[in-house]
Amino acid sequence: MQPTPRRASLHQQRVTFVVLAVSVSSFALLQSLIVPVLQTIQVEYDTDQATVTWVLTGYLLSASIATPILGRIGDAVGKKKVLVATLLILAVGSLAAALAPSIGWLIAARVVQGLGGGVLPLSFGIIRDEFTDRVTGALSVIASLTAVGFGFGIVIAGPIVDGLGYHWLFWLPMIVTAVAALAALLLVPESPERTPGGVPVLPALPLAITLVALLLAVSQGNKWGWGSPAVVSLLATSAVAGVVWVRTEMRVAVPMIDMQMMRLRGVWTTNVIAFFVGFSTFASFGFLPQFFQTPSSAGYGFDATISESGTLLVPSALASFLVGFTTAWFIARLGARRVIMAGTLISAAAFASVAFFHDAKWELFLATTGQGLGSGLVFSSLAGVVIASVARSQTGVASGMNANIRTIGGSIGSAVMAGVLTAQLGPSGFPLERGYTIGFCLLAVGMLAATVAAAYLPDTRGDRPHRPRLADADNAELGLLPAAPAPQ
């Protein structure tokens, strides 16, 4: 049996939680602050919609590669050290974005910002290492901040742009993340847990090639032609690199995505859910403001300003945030399986509603509120299931893998949505209404796929899934499973 680790005092836990919440919120805000001004950036840098979408996609792609690597480094050398370094990199990326003289520079800066995705597995690991109780509740709130921060980023972008200009969408986060890095250095204790081992750099290369080739083909397919040599070559490259990546993951000593761990019921199910939730949620947040800003002369849209389009997601952000405080209560009584299935079904209904009922503002507000409730239930529940399914020493790897797969889903979902819309352009240059209908129907299907995966989740109220005995002991400590007798 593993000895009981040192735990921080209650006051220290509260301070640590605040610092982690600010750190995760900063990363989540940077995912979406730029979304309402994509059309402005497109005009500012004289580019097209497919290219400007990479301002969002590049960030998600970078995060999907960096998240598990930084989580693994944190497990090996210390989560606090890596958290501070990650926040500093996030601040540097924000500085570069604020000074960007061209669209290429801006996309590159966003790729640097994406390295901040490491704050998620690092924060989950620190909570599990340091907190004495209410671990599940703390994990739920931190996890829900990823969805809440994404929504609030879109909401506050308008007032920032109106008052200061869009460059301050990067100056302000730079200041906040720099302060968060200093606070983490001074106030967060170094976690005692260490997992010796290397860093999964080798698998990262074929994964990066797989995703870049796929996303480039999807985003440029309408422009270059889906049967063009360039697109066909990119899709073939993505397929070959994907096979190489999987084979590499199965052979290296330190995998990026642990295929052995993926066999655990509580791991593979949550990762499938994370992929489809990321696919649908990031794409919806990325394109709803553009729908709202579309001139009514296009046959739909509401002629909204950047600030007005941000208000569309206020109910979603609030609903997602508030439900995060109640998820632990629901899980204790209903089990994570039912809670997550309810969340995915609510989100699917919300996306279907946007697809077919978007003639009035109240219809969209109602749909986004439902989407916020659904995603809040899912985001704040997944982390606890993942953490409960693995040994303590694998916390960073498992949570990083889940966050990684979610951002992979988000990058693919954003590219697919952009491809659907650019294939349905009207004479005015804006997407046709049916493009949004098709796109949001696809997002609804994605959430239904997540629902199917959620049906196979382990029941955290007492059914013991197949998992390592050490993880069972940890689950008992977290209150997710009854205590198991020590091995004889």
Side-chain angles (χ1 to χ4, degrees), residues 348-439:
F351 292 139
S353 178
V354 173
F356 297 107
F357 306 104
H358 49 247
D359 294 332
K361 291 182 179 180
W362 70 266
E363 293 174 329
L364 292 177
F365 276 103
L366 182 63
T368 55
T369 300
Q371 185 276 327
L373 288 172
S375 64
L377 289 172
V378 176
F379 277 118
S380 57
S381 302
L382 282 180
V385 178
V386 173
I387 297 299
S389 300
V390 300
R392 186 185 306 280
S393 61
Q394 295 175 310
T395 297
V397 176
S399 56
M401 180 167 58
N402 189 257
N404 177 38
I405 290 174
R406 185 171 68 233
T407 50
I408 289 174
S411 61
I412 294 175
S414 298
V416 168
M417 191 71 170
V420 169
L421 294 181
T422 55
Q424 305 284 333
L425 293 179
S428 63
F430 291 98
L432 296 174
E433 184 178 7
R434 68 170 176 266
Y436 282 101
T437 299
I438 295 171

Side-chain angles (χ1 to χ4, degrees), residues 72-422:
R72 172 75 74 170
I73 295 174
D75 284 341
V77 305
K79 300 177 182 68
K80 171 183 174 177
K81 297 175 185 176
V82 182
L83 176 64
V84 173
T86 300
L87 290 170
L88 289 175
I89 292 172
L90 195 57
V92 170
S94 299
L95 174 63
L99 299 174
S102 66
I103 187 65
W105 181 301
L106 179 58
I107 292 173
R110 291 284 288 171
V111 170
V112 174
Q113 286 181 323
L115 301 178
V119 301
L120 293 170
L122 295 169
S123 296
F124 294 152
I126 290 171
I127 288 173
R128 181 160 182 178
D129 289 349
E130 297 297 323
F131 284 30
T132 53
D133 55 11
R134 299 181 180 177
V135 175
T136 304
L139 290 172
S140 295
V141 174
I142 290 292
S144 67
L145 286 175
T146 59
V148 174
F150 199 101
F152 271 114
I154 296 174
V155 171
I156 66 176
I160 292 175
V161 172
D162 292 342
L164 300 171
Y166 80 85
H167 288 93
W168 280 90
L169 297 177
F170 304 113
W171 287 117
L172 292 177
M174 183 200 73
I175 296 170
V176 172
T177 49
V179 172
L182 179 61
L185 178 65
L186 299 177
L187 302 176
V188 174
E190 183 57 86
S191 298
E193 298 289 331
R194 294 288 189 277
T195 305
V199 176
V201 175
L202 184 59
L205 181 59
L207 176 60
I209 294 173
T210 301
L211 293 176
V212 171
L214 174 62
L215 297 177
L216 190 58
V218 170
S219 62
Q220 299 295 331
N222 295 319
K223 182 178 180 181
W224 296 346
W226 288 101
S228 66
V231 171
V232 172
S233 297
L234 284 170
L235 292 175
T237 299
S238 177
V240 172
V243 173
V244 172
W245 167 63
V246 172
R247 291 178 66 87
T248 302
E249 292 281 31
M250 296 177 67
R251 293 181 178 183
V252 295
V254 183
M256 189 175 187
I257 292 181
D258 193 332
M259 296 300 174
Q260 296 297 325
M261 190 186 298
M262 283 284 282
R263 297 179 181 180
L264 296 174
R265 182 179 168 194
V267 174
W268 73 260
T269 49
T270 53
N271 286 335
V272 172
I273 294 167
F275 176 86
F276 284 110
V277 170
F279 178 95
S280 298
T281 302
F282 285 119
S284 69
F285 281 159
F287 290 92
L288 269 174
Q290 294 188 40
F291 180 91
F292 218 48
Q293 293 172 27
T294 301
S296 56
S297 58
Y300 65 97
F302 298 92
D303 301 288
T305 64
I306 294 173
S307 296
E308 290 170 344
S309 65
T311 62
L312 175 64
L313 294 178
V314 170
S316 173
L318 286 175
S320 184
F321 178 68
L322 293 176
V323 80
F325 290 98
T326 63
T327 304
W329 185 88
F330 283 120
I331 290 176
R333 287 154 181 79
L334 301 175
R337 181 193 304 154
R338 291 184 177 89
V339 173
I340 293 174
M341 287 184 70
T344 55
L345 285 173
I346 292 172
S347 293
F351 292 139
S353 178
V354 173
F356 297 107
F357 306 104
H358 49 247
D359 294 332
K361 291 182 179 180
W362 70 266
E363 293 174 329
L364 292 177
F365 276 103
L366 182 63
T368 55
T369 300
Q371 185 276 327
L373 288 172
S375 64
L377 289 172
V378 176
F379 277 118
S380 57
S381 302
L382 282 180
V385 178
V386 173
I387 297 299
S389 300
V390 300
R392 186 185 306 280
S393 61
Q394 295 175 310
T395 297
V397 176
S399 56
M401 180 167 58
N402 189 257
N404 177 38
I405 290 174
R406 185 171 68 233
T407 50
I408 289 174
S411 61
I412 294 175
S414 298
V416 168
M417 191 71 170
V420 169
L421 294 181
T422 55

